[in-house]
Amino acid sequence: MSQAFNNFPVTTQKPPLHGKHWMAITGKPLAATAGAMIFSKGGNAIDASCAMLAATCTMWDVLSWGGETQALIYNPKTKKVIALNAMGIAPTGATADFFKDKGMKYPPEFGPLAATTPGTAGGLMTMLAEYGTMSLKQVLAPAMQLAEGYPIEAQTANSIEKGKDKIKQWPYSKKVFLPHPGEKREAPDVGEVFVQKDLLATLQKLVDTEEQALKKGKTRKEAIHAAYDRFYKGDIAKEIARGCQEQGGLITEQDLANWKVKIEEPLMTNYKGIDVYKMQQWTQGPVMLQALNMLENFDLKGMGYNSSRYVHTLYQTMNLAFADRDFYYGDPAFAPEEPMKGLLSKEYAKERIKQIDWEKNDPKVLPGDPYPFEGKTNPYRDQIKTWGTKQVSMRNSNGLDEKFMEEFTAGTTSVEAADEEGWVVSITPSGGWVPACIAGNTGVGLSQRMQSFVLDAKENPFNVVEPGKRPRVTLTPSLALKDGKPFLSFAKQAGDEQDQLLLQFFLNIVEFGMTVQEATEAPSFKTLQMYASFGEHEKEPGGLILNEAMPDWTRKELSRMGYKNSYQPRTSGPINAIYFDWIHGTMWGGSSNHGEDYGIGW
């Protein structure tokens, strides 16, 4: 399938990117430039994506060095997709009883007790060592220049000012984020040069360790792993643990030393001849695979793009998939074993869609029973009958609650890169967003991902917090292959929105023939009928966010079907994506028309 500009009757606000040699797209213009700098020096897509990841962490977009990273990588040498799991774990002492004894319904949203162990630094170094070509010094150079001082952009500077009351609770954060204490605006001004001396010193330690190892005759890979060990087992780890515990957190030196990056088999389904890959069930990624299995049974194109019938079909399908996510997904390294074979079977999908009410929304949809599709009996059958009674309407007199929507779309960025050798990278890194608690004198902001656990097995028996366990996260990069070759690489930020908007983006291209840029900008819709993965884990049965472009008759029809409509001017992103045009031997880059996401191609 080739892409012809403006097949779809809209004009995009941003032009598509075209590249023959490489493509670099991420959440900030300066970070995209970091990727371009590495490509221009002969790096491959892995090297460039590591440089972009380092730059976005340094720019707090919307994450930090203490957050988490998950990546899908297409290796042209093996012709296989690899999943890199660099999600941190719950620290020592992080039990359900620990949080319940503090009167909490869930682990907290902010502060040192919200922190899983840092994963991004290890993920970056593992990815670079295993699949890159450059040294750590080379790929960290742009980030280190940013840490020396860069002109801070409005989005981050204003979020610091907005979060300053929380930031003041944590002494190391206050030192970094608030250069104007006591003034009306204590955060950096927009365009002010923002300096991070402690972070620069931490990155310098990694580079110094690599260089010392190289001088001793170590290989490139061994030298990067020496830097990895300093972060997780050396003086950096010691200061992260000390700084975390000083502020009331649980992370120990042993937690950091025990943690390991995992290189995993991704999960996959085939949709009309296209293989779509996602991370395993410790992410929400399989939701999209489940939805595609159900949707392939319908004539979506015949329904018409964003018709009430189309919206209803996707919404109800996502209801079913998200109910399964909310009950069955969790860390596969811990018992009980998630029934993923059943959940992802085509037969289960056909059985599941029999539940759809074609006349109105079903606000009480329950998790399904995938166990018979594995030849097993469901041990949770009785529990499911009473599941999902906690339903809180997140509305006030002005429409949707602002705090709920902030939580629903919290954090994250995306990194997309590809090169002419055939390497393709899709990353959704996150964690440690502003307002972040910084770990001692490292400049490293700690993750807030503990809040994605539950404390009660009645909500999800697979995702109850335990030391050493990874929470079920929203982070979900995507890769698709067609005829054994890369077809699409795509990812987006914003919490529970991710897979529902990535699903629509994918269908925009596959079913409706949009170009990759059109598909990133096209008016999507969002469901709020799943338990949020953040904060108080609320849900809004029938909650539907539509684009303001939606015509009146469609709005009225959806209201009649039981939907509670809200409206936003832009609903599609920010999605970043690369489409591979094998007819012409080129790449198309797309980046949504809101947020500060940006790409460069050559």
Side-chain angles (χ1 to χ4, degrees), residues 475-532:
L475 307 159
T476 174
S478 321
L479 274 181
L481 306 187
K482 190 176 182 184
D483 302 323
K485 296 187 288 190
F487 173 69
L488 271 178
S489 176
F490 53 115
K492 82 173 291 295
Q493 64 178 71
D496 291 290
E497 289 185 4
Q498 288 179 43
D499 271 312
Q500 48 179 310
L501 293 184
L502 292 172
L503 172 68
Q504 291 172 73
F505 163 84
F506 177 80
L507 295 172
N508 289 347
I509 289 175
V510 173
E511 294 288 356
F512 297 99
M514 295 187 204
T515 69
V516 69
Q517 184 59 37
E518 287 164 348
T520 65
E521 291 190 22
S524 302
F525 65 88
K526 308 174 200 179
T527 169
L528 303 177
Q529 190 164 301
M530 81 285 276
Y531 283 115

Side-chain angles (χ1 to χ4, degrees), residues 8 13 98 108 253 270 272 298 318 387 400 505 557 593:
F8 191 69
Q13 292 182 3
F98 172 84
E253 289 179 52
N270 184 280
K272 299 186 177 181
F298 305 118
M318 289 194 287
W387 181 86
L400 284 169
F505 163 84
E557 180 68 7
N593 57 332

Side-chain angles (χ1 to χ4, degrees), residues 262-319:
K262 294 185 178 185
I263 294 174
E264 301 176 335
E265 284 283 321
L267 297 175
M268 185 272 283
T269 198
N270 184 280
Y271 181 84
K272 299 186 177 181
I274 298 167
D275 291 332
V276 183
Y277 290 85
K278 284 287 193 174
M279 306 291 294
Q280 291 183 9
Q281 63 270 23
W282 58 272
T283 75
Q284 69 172 328
V287 158
M288 183 172 160
L289 305 183
Q290 283 192 248
L292 288 170
N293 284 345
M294 290 185 261
L295 290 169
E296 71 178 358
N297 295 287
F298 305 118
D299 178 11
L300 298 178
K301 190 174 183 181
M303 293 177 188
Y305 179 70
N306 273 0
S307 66
S308 56
R309 179 82 166 173
Y310 180 75
V311 173
H312 183 66
T313 301
L314 264 63
Y315 193 105
Q316 296 308 305
T317 302
M318 289 194 287
N319 280 355

Side-chain angles (χ1 to χ4, degrees), residues 52-82:
M52 288 191 279
L53 174 58
T56 56
C57 288
T58 303
M59 298 176 75
W60 301 87
D61 171 44
V62 181
L63 76 164
S64 165
W65 278 94
E68 48 270 355
T69 285
Q70 24 289 310
L72 290 172
I73 299 165
Y74 176 75
N75 182 340
K77 295 172 183 174
T78 61
K79 309 248 184 294
K80 292 256 175 37
V81 177
I82 311 144

Side-chain angles (χ1 to χ4, degrees), residues 18-40:
H18 292 279
K20 185 176 146 190
H21 303 290
W22 53 260
M23 194 70 68
I25 312 174
T26 189
K28 297 278 186 191
L30 282 177
T33 303
M37 288 162 70
I38 295 300
F39 272 131
S40 69

Side-chain angles (χ1 to χ4, degrees), residues 250-270:
L250 297 173
I251 295 171
T252 67
E253 289 179 52
Q254 201 60 49
D255 291 328
L256 294 165
N258 290 346
W259 180 81
K260 297 264 188 311
V261 178
K262 294 185 178 185
I263 294 174
E264 301 176 335
E265 284 283 321
L267 297 175
M268 185 272 283
T269 198
N270 184 280

Side-chain angles (χ1 to χ4, degrees), residues 39-286:
F39 272 131
S40 69
K41 289 175 180 168
N44 71 4
I46 304 290
D47 302 318
S49 61
C50 288
M52 288 191 279
L53 174 58
T56 56
C57 288
T58 303
M59 298 176 75
W60 301 87
D61 171 44
V62 181
L63 76 164
S64 165
W65 278 94
E68 48 270 355
T69 285
Q70 24 289 310
L72 290 172
I73 299 165
Y74 176 75
N75 182 340
K77 295 172 183 174
T78 61
K79 309 248 184 294
K80 292 256 175 37
V81 177
I82 311 144
L84 182 125
N85 171 348
M87 177 67 231
I89 54 171
T92 300
T95 63
D97 285 343
F98 172 84
F99 293 106
K100 284 178 183 174
D101 288 348
K102 292 184 174 296
M104 298 177 183
K105 291 184 190 170
Y106 299 95
E109 293 174 67
F110 297 103
L113 285 178
T116 51
T117 57
T120 288
L124 186 153
M125 288 186 271
T126 300
M127 200 167 15
L128 181 66
E130 296 298 323
Y131 311 111
T133 66
M134 287 184 155
S135 67
L136 190 60
K137 181 179 182 179
Q138 286 172 301
V139 301
L140 290 188
M144 291 174 75
Q145 289 179 325
L146 290 166
E148 283 174 7
Y150 74 96
I152 196 168
E153 74 296 341
Q155 190 180 58
T156 304
N158 291 338
S159 69
I160 292 171
E161 179 65 15
K162 187 178 178 184
K164 68 180 177 183
D165 289 344
K166 280 195 176 69
I167 287 167
K168 287 177 183 176
Q169 297 171 27
W170 310 309
Y172 302 101
S173 300
K174 185 177 166 185
K175 179 177 76 165
V176 172
F177 286 126
L178 304 177
H180 309 298
E183 296 181 22
K184 187 178 179 187
R185 182 185 174 96
E186 297 180 84
D189 291 323
V190 178
E192 180 180 341
V193 174
F194 178 51
V195 177
Q196 300 172 77
K197 289 179 183 173
D198 287 346
L199 178 60
L200 179 60
T202 295
L203 299 180
Q204 188 63 54
K205 285 177 182 178
L206 299 178
V207 168
D208 290 346
T209 303
E210 178 192 49
E211 292 202 297
Q212 287 159 13
L214 289 170
K215 280 177 187 168
K216 290 176 184 171
K218 300 288 186 185
T219 65
R220 184 190 74 89
K221 189 190 275 195
E222 289 168 339
I224 294 168
H225 282 298
Y228 178 110
D229 284 345
R230 185 167 184 181
F231 190 95
Y232 287 97
K233 297 175 182 175
D235 56 342
I236 299 172
K238 197 178 281 291
E239 180 60 10
I240 288 172
R242 187 205 67 77
C244 177
Q245 290 175 30
E246 179 197 326
Q247 297 174 92
L250 297 173
I251 295 171
T252 67
E253 289 179 52
Q254 201 60 49
D255 291 328
L256 294 165
N258 290 346
W259 180 81
K260 297 264 188 311
V261 178
K262 294 185 178 185
I263 294 174
E264 301 176 335
E265 284 283 321
L267 297 175
M268 185 272 283
T269 198
N270 184 280
Y271 181 84
K272 299 186 177 181
I274 298 167
D275 291 332
V276 183
Y277 290 85
K278 284 287 193 174
M279 306 291 294
Q280 291 183 9
Q281 63 270 23
W282 58 272
T283 75
Q284 69 172 328

